[in-house]
Amino acid sequence: MFPLRDDAPRFGTPFITLALIVVNVAVFVYQFSLAIESPGAQQTFVETFGAIPLRAEQALAGRYPLIEGIGPVFTSIFLHGGWLHLIGNMWFLWIFGDNVEDELGHFTYMLFYLACGLLASVAHILANPESMVPAVGASGAIAGVMGAYLVRFPSARITTLVWIFVFITTIELPAALMLVYWFAIQFFSGAVETGGADTGGVAWWAHVGGFVAGAVLIWSRPRRRRYRRAYYY
Protein backbone atom coordinates (compact mmCIF):
# COMPACT_ATOMS: atom_id res chain seq x y z
CA MET A 1 0.00 0.00 0.00
CA PHE A 2 1.25 3.46 -0.91
CA PRO A 3 -0.40 6.64 0.46
CA LEU A 4 -1.36 9.30 -2.07
CA ARG A 5 -3.02 11.93 0.14
CA ASP A 6 -4.88 12.40 3.41
CA ASP A 7 -7.92 14.41 4.38
CA ALA A 8 -6.65 15.83 7.69
CA PRO A 9 -6.89 19.63 7.38
CA ARG A 10 -3.73 21.71 7.48
CA PHE A 11 -3.88 25.01 9.38
CA GLY A 12 -0.54 26.53 8.46
CA THR A 13 2.40 26.29 6.09
CA PRO A 14 4.64 23.30 6.96
CA PHE A 15 7.91 25.24 6.78
CA ILE A 16 9.99 22.64 8.61
CA THR A 17 8.66 19.74 6.57
CA LEU A 18 9.47 21.63 3.38
CA ALA A 19 12.93 22.55 4.70
CA LEU A 20 13.64 18.91 5.61
CA ILE A 21 12.68 17.81 2.11
CA VAL A 22 14.96 20.45 0.56
CA VAL A 23 17.89 19.48 2.80
CA ASN A 24 17.49 15.76 2.08
CA VAL A 25 17.30 16.37 -1.66
CA ALA A 26 20.32 18.70 -1.56
CA VAL A 27 22.42 16.16 0.34
CA PHE A 28 21.46 13.42 -2.08
CA VAL A 29 22.33 15.57 -5.10
CA TYR A 30 25.73 16.09 -3.51
CA GLN A 31 26.06 12.31 -3.00
CA PHE A 32 25.11 11.79 -6.63
CA SER A 33 27.73 14.30 -7.76
CA LEU A 34 30.35 12.36 -5.80
CA ALA A 35 29.29 9.15 -7.52
CA ILE A 36 29.75 10.79 -10.92
CA GLU A 37 33.18 12.03 -9.87
CA SER A 38 34.24 8.72 -8.31
CA PRO A 39 32.30 5.76 -6.86
CA GLY A 40 35.00 5.54 -4.21
CA ALA A 41 34.35 9.14 -3.14
CA GLN A 42 30.67 8.44 -2.62
CA GLN A 43 31.43 5.28 -0.64
CA THR A 44 33.83 7.19 1.58
CA PHE A 45 31.15 9.85 2.16
CA VAL A 46 28.58 7.23 3.16
CA GLU A 47 31.02 5.41 5.43
CA THR A 48 31.97 8.71 7.10
CA PHE A 49 28.46 10.08 7.67
CA GLY A 50 26.40 6.88 7.80
CA ALA A 51 25.68 5.28 11.18
CA ILE A 52 27.91 2.24 11.69
CA PRO A 53 26.74 0.31 14.78
CA LEU A 54 30.11 -1.19 15.74
CA ARG A 55 31.83 2.20 15.57
CA ALA A 56 29.14 3.76 17.76
CA GLU A 57 29.53 0.96 20.32
CA GLN A 58 33.32 1.35 20.28
CA ALA A 59 33.06 5.14 20.59
CA LEU A 60 30.91 4.82 23.72
CA ALA A 61 33.45 2.36 25.12
CA GLY A 62 36.31 4.78 24.43
CA ARG A 63 37.92 2.65 21.72
CA TYR A 64 37.03 4.95 18.80
CA PRO A 65 36.88 8.76 18.42
CA LEU A 66 33.60 9.92 19.95
CA ILE A 67 32.65 12.44 17.25
CA GLU A 68 33.44 10.03 14.42
CA GLY A 69 31.50 7.21 16.08
CA ILE A 70 28.47 9.07 17.44
CA GLY A 71 28.17 12.04 15.04
CA PRO A 72 26.98 9.85 12.13
CA VAL A 73 24.02 8.72 14.25
CA PHE A 74 22.64 12.19 13.52
CA THR A 75 24.02 12.84 10.02
CA SER A 76 22.88 9.47 8.69
CA ILE A 77 19.23 10.57 8.73
CA PHE A 78 19.96 13.02 5.89
CA LEU A 79 21.62 10.47 3.57
CA HIS A 80 19.91 8.06 1.17
CA GLY A 81 20.87 4.99 -0.78
CA GLY A 82 19.24 5.87 -4.10
CA TRP A 83 16.62 7.93 -5.89
CA LEU A 84 13.74 5.56 -5.05
CA HIS A 85 14.80 5.52 -1.40
CA LEU A 86 14.83 9.33 -1.33
CA ILE A 87 11.57 9.84 -3.24
CA GLY A 88 9.67 7.29 -1.15
CA ASN A 89 10.86 8.81 2.12
CA MET A 90 10.14 12.39 1.08
CA TRP A 91 6.68 11.47 -0.16
CA PHE A 92 5.77 9.84 3.17
CA LEU A 93 7.20 12.86 5.00
CA TRP A 94 5.05 15.21 2.93
CA ILE A 95 1.86 13.17 3.44
CA PHE A 96 2.16 12.84 7.22
CA GLY A 97 4.57 15.59 8.27
CA ASP A 98 2.46 18.67 7.63
CA ASN A 99 -0.26 17.71 10.11
CA VAL A 100 2.21 16.64 12.79
CA GLU A 101 4.04 19.95 12.32
CA ASP A 102 0.68 21.72 12.71
CA GLU A 103 0.10 19.81 15.91
CA LEU A 104 3.50 20.45 17.50
CA GLY A 105 4.48 23.83 16.12
CA HIS A 106 7.47 24.45 13.88
CA PHE A 107 10.36 24.47 16.37
CA THR A 108 9.06 21.61 18.52
CA TYR A 109 8.40 19.58 15.39
CA MET A 110 11.99 20.04 14.25
CA LEU A 111 13.29 18.80 17.62
CA PHE A 112 10.77 15.96 17.53
CA TYR A 113 11.93 14.87 14.07
CA LEU A 114 15.59 14.85 15.10
CA ALA A 115 14.80 12.98 18.31
CA CYS A 116 12.87 10.31 16.41
CA GLY A 117 15.76 9.96 13.95
CA LEU A 118 18.23 9.59 16.83
CA LEU A 119 16.13 7.01 18.66
CA ALA A 120 15.56 5.09 15.42
CA SER A 121 19.33 4.93 14.91
CA VAL A 122 19.78 3.75 18.49
CA ALA A 123 17.24 0.98 17.91
CA HIS A 124 19.14 -0.13 14.80
CA ILE A 125 22.46 -0.11 16.67
CA LEU A 126 21.04 -2.14 19.55
CA ALA A 127 19.62 -4.69 17.12
CA ASN A 128 22.88 -4.95 15.12
CA PRO A 129 25.72 -4.07 17.52
CA GLU A 130 28.45 -5.85 15.53
CA SER A 131 27.54 -4.50 12.11
CA MET A 132 30.03 -2.49 10.06
CA VAL A 133 27.45 -1.69 7.35
CA PRO A 134 26.59 2.05 7.25
CA ALA A 135 22.91 2.75 7.89
CA VAL A 136 21.51 5.75 6.00
CA GLY A 137 18.09 7.23 5.42
CA ALA A 138 15.38 9.39 6.93
CA SER A 139 13.05 6.39 7.29
CA GLY A 140 13.43 6.14 11.06
CA ALA A 141 12.67 9.82 11.64
CA ILE A 142 9.73 9.65 9.24
CA ALA A 143 8.49 6.52 10.99
CA GLY A 144 8.38 8.69 14.11
CA VAL A 145 6.22 11.20 12.26
CA MET A 146 3.93 8.35 11.22
CA GLY A 147 3.68 7.11 14.81
CA ALA A 148 2.71 10.62 15.91
CA TYR A 149 0.13 10.81 13.10
CA LEU A 150 -1.42 7.56 14.32
CA VAL A 151 -1.84 8.97 17.82
CA ARG A 152 -3.24 12.34 16.78
CA PHE A 153 -5.12 11.55 13.56
CA PRO A 154 -6.27 7.91 13.73
CA SER A 155 -9.58 8.63 11.99
CA ALA A 156 -8.13 10.59 9.06
CA ARG A 157 -8.80 9.02 5.69
CA ILE A 158 -5.78 8.06 3.60
CA THR A 159 -6.26 7.64 -0.14
CA THR A 160 -4.04 4.66 -0.82
CA LEU A 161 -2.68 3.01 -3.94
CA VAL A 162 -3.01 -0.77 -3.68
CA TRP A 163 -1.92 -3.70 -5.82
CA ILE A 164 -4.31 -6.65 -6.10
CA PHE A 165 -2.51 -9.29 -8.13
CA VAL A 166 -2.04 -7.52 -11.49
CA PHE A 167 -4.60 -4.80 -10.81
CA ILE A 168 -3.83 -1.37 -9.38
CA THR A 169 -6.54 0.72 -7.73
CA THR A 170 -7.05 3.32 -5.00
CA ILE A 171 -9.06 2.98 -1.82
CA GLU A 172 -9.66 5.17 1.22
CA LEU A 173 -8.48 3.69 4.49
CA PRO A 174 -8.55 4.98 8.07
CA ALA A 175 -5.09 6.17 9.06
CA ALA A 176 -5.15 3.79 12.02
CA LEU A 177 -5.61 0.76 9.77
CA MET A 178 -2.94 1.74 7.27
CA LEU A 179 -0.33 2.76 9.84
CA VAL A 180 -0.83 -0.26 12.10
CA TYR A 181 -0.53 -2.48 9.02
CA TRP A 182 2.68 -0.67 8.03
CA PHE A 183 4.11 -1.02 11.54
CA ALA A 184 3.26 -4.73 11.67
CA ILE A 185 5.16 -5.31 8.42
CA GLN A 186 8.24 -3.55 9.82
CA PHE A 187 8.10 -5.45 13.10
CA PHE A 188 7.61 -8.94 11.67
CA SER A 189 10.12 -8.31 8.87
CA GLY A 190 12.72 -7.36 11.47
CA ALA A 191 11.84 -10.36 13.60
CA VAL A 192 12.30 -12.92 10.82
CA GLU A 193 15.21 -11.37 8.91
CA THR A 194 18.62 -12.95 9.37
CA GLY A 195 21.99 -11.73 8.15
CA GLY A 196 20.81 -8.19 7.40
CA ALA A 197 23.30 -6.60 9.73
CA ASP A 198 26.23 -7.85 7.70
CA THR A 199 24.82 -7.72 4.19
CA GLY A 200 22.84 -4.48 4.20
CA GLY A 201 19.18 -4.13 3.27
CA VAL A 202 16.29 -2.51 5.13
CA ALA A 203 16.89 -1.29 8.69
CA TRP A 204 13.60 -2.69 10.00
CA TRP A 205 14.33 -2.01 13.67
CA ALA A 206 15.10 1.62 12.92
CA HIS A 207 11.57 1.89 11.51
CA VAL A 208 10.11 0.16 14.55
CA GLY A 209 12.12 2.25 16.99
CA GLY A 210 11.30 5.52 15.25
CA PHE A 211 7.57 4.72 15.06
CA VAL A 212 7.33 3.82 18.74
CA ALA A 213 9.38 6.88 19.71
CA GLY A 214 7.12 9.20 17.73
CA ALA A 215 3.96 7.73 19.22
CA VAL A 216 5.28 7.94 22.78
CA LEU A 217 6.75 11.43 22.44
CA ILE A 218 3.56 12.98 21.10
CA TRP A 219 1.36 11.02 23.51
CA SER A 220 2.82 12.94 26.43
CA ARG A 221 2.06 16.34 24.92
CA PRO A 222 -1.28 18.13 25.26
CA ARG A 223 -3.22 18.71 22.09
CA ARG A 224 -2.57 22.03 20.43
CA ARG A 225 -5.51 24.30 19.63
CA ARG A 226 -5.41 25.11 15.95
CA TYR A 227 -7.47 27.69 14.11
CA ARG A 228 -8.00 28.44 10.49
CA ARG A 229 -7.10 31.98 9.53
CA ALA A 230 -10.23 34.04 9.03
CA TYR A 231 -10.80 37.34 7.26
CA TYR A 232 -13.45 39.69 8.52
CA TYR A 233 -15.15 42.36 6.43
Side-chain angles (χ1 to χ4, degrees), residues 150-165:
L150 173 63
V151 172
R152 285 292 194 258
F153 308 97
S155 300
R157 308 294 291 185
I158 309 294
T159 302
T160 308
L161 189 69
V162 297
W163 289 263
I164 304 174
F165 300 109

Side-chain angles (χ1 to χ4, degrees), residues 12-147:
T13 302
F15 294 112
I16 301 301
T17 296
L18 289 168
L20 288 169
I21 291 172
V22 169
V23 170
N24 278 277
V25 171
V27 171
F28 185 77
V29 169
Y30 177 70
Q31 281 182 245
F32 188 72
S33 71
L34 289 176
I36 294 174
E37 176 185 331
S38 167
Q42 184 191 36
Q43 184 62 28
T44 299
F45 181 81
V46 170
E47 290 178 355
T48 300
F49 295 103
I52 298 179
L54 184 57
R55 285 184 184 171
E57 294 268 352
Q58 290 175 336
L60 290 175
R63 298 192 300 270
Y64 196 83
L66 190 63
I67 295 298
E68 295 178 23
I70 300 301
V73 173
F74 294 93
T75 58
S76 63
I77 66 176
F78 296 99
L79 277 63
H80 287 84
W83 283 107
L84 290 180
H85 188 202
L86 173 72
I87 292 169
N89 275 350
M90 295 304 99
W91 185 256
F92 272 70
L93 178 58
W94 176 248
I95 295 293
F96 299 107
D98 58 341
N99 298 114
V100 176
E101 183 173 349
D102 249 358
E103 183 73 12
L104 294 175
H106 304 303
F107 182 70
T108 302
Y109 172 72
M110 181 179 68
L111 296 179
F112 167 86
Y113 180 91
L114 295 174
C116 288
L118 170 63
L119 293 171
S121 294
V122 169
H124 175 71
I125 290 168
L126 292 175
N128 307 282
E130 301 300 317
S131 175
M132 278 295 292
V133 177
V136 299
S139 305
I142 296 167
V145 173
M146 294 165 67

